[in-house]
Amino acid sequence: MSSAVAMEATRRRQRLSSNGGASEMTEEPAGQWGRAWEVDWFSLSAVILLLCTAPFLVFFFVMVCDQYQCSVSQPLVELYRGEATLRSIWDKAPSFTWAAAQIYTVWVSFQVVLYMCVPDITHKFLPGYAGGVQDGARTPAGLINKYEINGLQSWLITHALWYANAQYFHWFSPTIIFDNWIPLLWCTNILGYAVSTFAFVKAYLFPTNAEDCKFTGNVFYNYMMGIEFNPRIGKWFDFKLFFNGRPGIVAWTLINLSYAAKQQELYGYVTNSMILVNVLQAIYVLDFFWNEAWYLKTIDICHDHFGWYLGWGDCVWLPFLYTLQGLYLVYNPVQLSTAHAAAVLLLGLVGYYVFRSTNHQKDLFRRTEGKCSIWGKKPTFIECAYRSGDGGLHHSKLMTSGFWGVARHLNYMGDLMGSLAYCAACGFGHIHPYFYIVYMTILLVHRCVRDEHRCSSKYGKDWKRYTDAVPYRLLPGIF
Ligand code: NDP
């Protein structure tokens, strides 16, 4: 399917569609508020740079722990002095093993089975939890996809089995993930590239929904940022929901547990820093699964297309770089003073509170269409209108109350505070664990800018009214 064909399909739908309900037909041209159709040179350069460097960056951060006790500067100094070569560093790194391939195959297959074959029952007995079949947000072409939300259940089953193995069955060592870490890196790369390439080819040959495909005319950009919006196999295997949530995020807490088990094995104790990292990140992961239905309304699902950025990122970047703190603490078992540990815990919990409350306020506001209470008052908002690709006119509201009246993205600020807490739990011996806060700052500032660009295209002058009412993005008075 070429871009011309995809656009013609959209135009045809505009002429033929007769949407009822919330959407009205209009004669005006469709709004294009989804991802860009054309690529500027800056975006293209960034895409090519990332494609070329990101896999090496992940290797570097894992390798420096394996060979240099997590010192980021030492390999660079050795290279500079001629004491090491790229070849000698590469030769010392563990290579691909069939044992790791088996572990990874079992892991991914198990997650596929949990995702596809075990419909959610947890929502039937967990009050307040929204699982089972849920609606996604309206896509730029005007569709609303259905999703089977069973991530919390998958997480619970996986962790119950992990616990049962560690305590009773002893089929494998709880350090299994750490012990195979670099061989697993090669396996995750194979899956990451395979999935991204499959999604790329699928978009041309058999897209799930041609009207939501975006072809920019640049092969690198298409490969990296994706063409299909919501690629699926069959009715339910949704690539975005599966690869982001599982195997990546379910694995996150298991990886941390494996690191804690390794500390215990190596030193005979687990440090308070390792416990803090495990606890704070487990809160974040559990929050994600508890709110998986909410996740359907976030930018990953509502805006990003599925390409290398999400496919490879979810398979490789997320499990390896989001868990750097635990890895660091295996090699550097930092025991924090009580004051330091308490400060980290407080920062992490306050960050989590801001992150969760901000996201919750928007979710509540949107679900009830503004008929709710925010900070004890009826919320204020700006009425706005937008058009979908099928020409339908829709209405929405942008809240100007609560955290959303303080700044336009306080949820990102909360996330950054939590991220800083994970890093600070590792003490100040090396910069290695601090890569995460640097990365998250770049990710969320960039996300903030591109989200606002998208919202501005979607809502036009209504977005301008909102930014006039709430002038700051992340930090009131500063940015
Ligand atoms: P948001 O949840 O902030 O969603 C932005 C969207 O919300 C906008 O596109 C717009 O969508 C809507 N919106 C914006 N302003 C308002 C308002 N005032 N009132 C009502 N709706 C509004 O962004 P994300 O999806 O990026 O992030 C969700 C969470 O996930 C964040 O907390 C973020 O920190 C976290 N995150 C974490 C990552 C990680 O790697 N750890 C990566 C990415 C995100 P619409 O078109 O519907 O109007």
Side-chain angles (χ1 to χ4, degrees), residues 121-373:
I121 54 159
T122 46
H123 70 281
K124 296 192 175 149
F125 57 85
L126 284 177
Y129 170 63
V133 177
Q134 300 284 337
D135 283 344
R138 188 181 301 280
T139 70
L143 299 177
I144 294 184
N145 288 308
K146 294 218 174 286
Y147 295 83
E148 170 71 37
I149 297 297
N150 60 1
L152 182 66
Q153 177 174 274
S154 302
W155 188 91
L156 290 170
I157 294 174
T158 307
H159 284 70
L161 284 175
W162 180 272
Y163 179 78
N165 171 66
Q167 292 297 314
Y168 308 109
F169 299 122
H170 309 296
W171 293 317
F172 54 84
S173 161
T175 62
I176 189 170
I177 303 177
F178 176 88
D179 295 337
N180 291 278
W181 202 219
I182 296 189
L184 281 169
L185 175 61
W186 310 134
C187 302
T188 56
N189 266 288
I190 292 170
L191 182 67
Y193 278 97
V195 155
S196 317
T197 308
F198 177 77
F200 180 74
V201 174
K202 177 180 174 314
Y204 284 92
L205 300 182
F206 51 102
T208 304
N209 172 31
E211 288 139 355
D212 264 323
C213 285
K214 288 221 166 159
F215 296 84
T216 60
N218 187 286
V219 71
F220 292 109
Y221 193 87
N222 287 348
Y223 183 72
M224 171 141 176
M225 299 310 289
I227 300 168
E228 275 203 79
F229 194 53
N230 292 117
R232 286 187 171 198
I233 292 179
K235 197 173 165 200
W236 293 108
F237 189 85
D238 185 89
F239 279 55
K240 269 194 213 167
L241 192 64
F242 177 76
F243 281 101
N244 194 289
R246 334 56 178 287
I249 299 187
V250 177
W252 189 345
T253 33
L254 290 187
I255 295 165
N256 280 344
L257 286 173
S258 183
Y259 291 152
K262 194 68 192 178
Q263 260 200 349
Q264 178 70 41
E265 182 187 291
L266 289 174
Y267 312 108
Y269 60 89
V270 177
T271 59
N272 59 359
S273 51
M274 180 67 94
I275 294 170
L276 268 175
V277 167
N278 266 262
V279 169
L280 290 176
Q281 295 190 345
I283 292 174
Y284 192 79
V285 167
L286 266 171
D287 175 276
F288 174 86
F289 286 118
W290 181 267
N291 296 293
E292 200 178 13
W294 153 82
Y295 175 67
L296 300 178
K297 309 283 162 72
T298 64
I299 292 173
D300 284 352
I301 300 274
C302 299
H303 178 45
D304 289 339
H305 290 235
F306 189 86
W308 183 88
Y309 173 75
L310 286 179
W312 180 88
D314 292 340
C315 290
V316 184
W317 186 275
L318 192 156
F320 282 86
L321 293 190
Y322 282 33
T323 59
L324 279 184
Q325 290 79 29
L327 180 68
Y328 173 85
L329 292 171
V330 173
Y331 293 91
N332 303 273
V334 175
Q335 185 66 24
L336 301 172
S337 67
T338 309
H340 188 149
V344 167
L345 184 64
L346 188 67
L347 179 64
L349 293 180
V350 171
Y352 173 71
Y353 171 77
V354 174
F355 161 84
R356 173 48 35 221
S357 311
T358 311
N359 287 323
H360 173 72
Q361 284 183 353
K362 187 187 85 177
D363 189 41
L364 179 70
F365 172 79
R366 280 279 168 96
R367 265 192 291 115
T368 58
E369 299 197 346
K371 295 183 191 72
C372 59
S373 165

Side-chain angles (χ1 to χ4, degrees), residues 284 299 322 362 366 412 415 447 451 454 458-459:
Y284 192 79
I299 292 173
Y322 282 33
K362 187 187 85 177
R366 280 279 168 96
Y412 291 176
D415 212 341
R447 184 173 271 249
D451 180 50
R454 167 184 166 275
K458 182 174 176 181
Y459 296 124

Side-chain angles (χ1 to χ4, degrees), residues 48-62 90 185-186 189 193 308 312 316-317 321:
I48 293 177
L49 186 74
L50 264 178
L51 274 172
C52 297
T53 56
F56 294 103
L57 205 62
V58 178
F59 174 73
F60 178 77
F61 276 98
V62 178
W90 183 260
L185 175 61
W186 310 134
N189 266 288
Y193 278 97
W308 183 88
W312 180 88
V316 184
W317 186 275
L321 293 190

Side-chain angles (χ1 to χ4, degrees), residues 406-421:
V406 178
R408 302 199 293 267
H409 281 285
L410 268 190
N411 50 349
Y412 291 176
M413 209 49 224
D415 212 341
L416 290 176
M417 288 163 75
S419 305
L420 183 62

